[in-house]
Amino acid sequence: MAAWLRPLILMIFSGQLTALPETIKIGGLFHPADDKQEVAFRYAVERINSDRTILPRSKLLAQIEKISPQDSFHASKRVCHLLRSGVAAIFGPQSAHAASHVQSICDTMEMPHLETRWDYRLMRESCLVNLYPHPTTLSKAYVDIVKAWGWKSFTIIYENNEGLVRLQELLKSHGLSEFPIAVRQLGDGTDYRPLLKQIKNSAESHIVLDCTTERIYDVLKQAQQIGMMSDYHSYLITSLDLHSVDLDEFKYGGTNITAFRLLDPEKPEIQRVVKDWVYGEARLGRKLQLGPTSVKTETALMYDAVHLFAKALHDLDTSQQIDVKPLSCDAEDTWNHGYSLINYMKVVEMKGLTGVIKFDHEGFRSDFSLDIVELSKDGLRKVGTWNSSEGVNYTRTYGESQKEIVEILQNKTLVVTTILSSPYCMRKEASEKLTGNAQFEGYAIDLIHEISKILMFNYTFRLVPDGRYGSFNRETREWDGMVRELLDQRADLAIADLTITFDREQMVDFTMPFMNLGISVLYRKPIKQPPNLFSFLSPLSLDVWIYMATAYLGVSVLLFILARFTPYEWHKPNPCNPNNPDKLENIFSMVNCLWFAIGSLMQQSCDFLPNFSPYEWDNPHPCLDEPQVLENQFSLLNSLWFTIGSLMQQGSDIAPKAVSTRMVAGMWWFFTLIMISSYTANLAAFLTVERMDSPIESAEDLAKQTKIKYGALRGGSTAAFFRDSNFSTYQRMWSFMESARPSVFTSSNVEGVDRVVKGKGSYAFLMESTSIEYVIERNCELTQVGGMLDSKGYGIAMPPNSPYRTAISGAVLKLQEEGKLHILKTRWWKEKRGGGSCRDETSKSSSAANELGLANVGGVFVVLMGGMGVACVIAVCEFVWKSRKVAVEERAKRSKKEKNEFNNAI
Ligand code: GLU
């Protein structure tokens, strides 16, 4: 039921009209220093009295009592005095000490007590209405914002135990996180520097500051003095009154200072009210030093409290006959409308200076909305809101915040750390002494210049003192090099050939990569080999030579065996009388013609020449029909002789006659033809191309040997790559590098290149491909061996949580899209400082002829072996055929003989 409905219904049902006394006194307890509270109280009363819509028939009368914050006895006395005068409510005081006494008296007398102060107690008395936001809800707001920012670790600076109560939700919510948070107390004195220095040394840049509003300026000022108000520091201030602190000195520092506020000083309502107060006081001849930005939350809450009371009383008045009576602290008096009024106050919902005022069912102000304010160069600006149901809601867009960052950057001079490494940053050669940025030139210098032109910032270069890129020392557990410089915020940017690695990315922020590369090997160029006495062996690989020798022996032996086996290789030993031939024969039988043709095709000489003359007809031999022995020309030695003759393309005086042996010979000739042609062709290539001696062709080759030493830059990402690799080859290489004495690590790329040059082949340097590219453009003795072992990029690094990361990344992308990065690369790699000296040499392709391996000529061996198999089969067939023929002939002879004998006998 709506709050306003209830009294109305009650009134209708009770059927009675009610009336409040004409003057209703309300008591206010204020400390002498709280003049603003008192003013708010008085003017709230005045405003209600002049507003005829609330309490139209009554007037409020402010009864003000001044009490000392520490003097609770006096406070009790003043409360009793007020009660005796017949007040309807007590407002204040602000001090917790005095308030507790006032509270207990009000409780006893059932007198409504309205407070506007921070009260950490989660259980409150029944007669109390406190307009200050409930501590648990406020604490939730801090948790939400810290979560929204994604702070992993932070330091809490608190002033007193109440602060810890305020932050208890934050402490609890972080409890299980792996990242530690530090909690430090501010101490009593006014010098906070020692404490701040400790925090600075811990490299913590996220700070939650919980202290009274009056101390905020001093803490921030001292933080600024010791360098804790940089672009990378973020402060969350728990006070709701940051708008009342003078933050002018911190506006341009770029530090992120954020707070919540309940009160928007820019609201016209507040401005009007404050103006009324100032004019009203001036009319009374008093000067009130107050502006909308200096109104504290508690002051505005006091104003709202009076309004809340008036509204509740007004509502109650419509339902009850209210009389206000004097109460005595000495008697057991109570005000019987007290509780009703309190209950009405708790159900009222109204809009005040501090937003919507309403209470939850427990009577706490939990449902409220806070503005999130951030310090910008125009002062504190509202960037979002928080409420308990929706949490943090940023109203500022990402684009707007980036725009602001770019604006801040325009007035800045950034310190840029770098390292001497060609061609990224080199000392300029000049006759006069150069100073400042003019001392350096190179790719990185030009790149930062281009970026600064886009974002319009200034910069100064600072060489990294230890001359290192940045690695984590596992003994000291500290980072070194440029990464250390960034972590200590001695530099704002690090630009060099600084590789983006996982470990570094955990510590510092990187922009988009501006160059891509990978690890490779720098080594001396292969040197020309002196002509080799046995270079004729080179066209074929060793295994091919071995296979050929084996084939030669195999074929010879097979020829020998088949020649024994086939009957057609057996000749009659002696030719008969050539002068008396029985018949003439022609060697060019069909088979012989084919044999002759194939022999010629295979570039082998045949044992006969074609002659179509009658002279071709030769003496037939052997002429003895039945010799006692037959002879075979294919002895083992002759077989070897035949095959070697064929291989050398010379032919021999013996020739196979049987189909099987001719098959062997034919296949061998085919083999010979292909092998000799391949050999000849490759020999020509070998003799024309200079042989280069290159003992290593890749990083794997390096890993396989120990003769050539190899190393990398000490503390660089290349060394870290091998150290952290899980790949066995690279692990082996790392152990080799680590154990090598003298050390194979160098302190710079220049030293590494020097070692490769001086090492004359005994040292290889593992280096990044872009740097290798630069070196081999200028030093023609050196080359890159093999491909890249990995793929990564160089980025511009900056301290963690740097606000400039997005802007600088954007500038890098812009330069890339415009092709400027490519122009810079060409300038510094190919043109300046002797670039392009080795271009002619590098363009000569090292098209060295390769020896022929088994993979190239293996097929010929297969054909040879197939042919040998076929020849064996043919030999068997021949043997069978001849045996059958001989048997038939023998039988015919025998039957003829028997016939003759039979004829002779008859
Ligand atoms: N670019 C490397 C780094 O950022 C340095 C050179 C190297 O290790 O080869 O650490």
Side-chain angles (χ1 to χ4, degrees), residues 469-470 497-499 504 712-713 715-719 749 766-768 794:
Y469 285 84
D497 48 336
L498 185 67
T499 312
R504 288 176 185 165
L713 184 95
S717 59
T718 304
N749 277 342
L766 292 154
M767 198 178 181
E768 285 165 333
Y794 293 145

Side-chain angles (χ1 to χ4, degrees), residues 525 528 690 692 838-848:
K525 270 198 186 143
K528 288 172 199 155
E690 278 172 328
M692 298 291 205
C838 307
R839 208 159 294 158
D840 290 342
E841 298 210 13
T842 45
S843 63
K844 259 194 215 163
S845 63
S846 56
S847 59

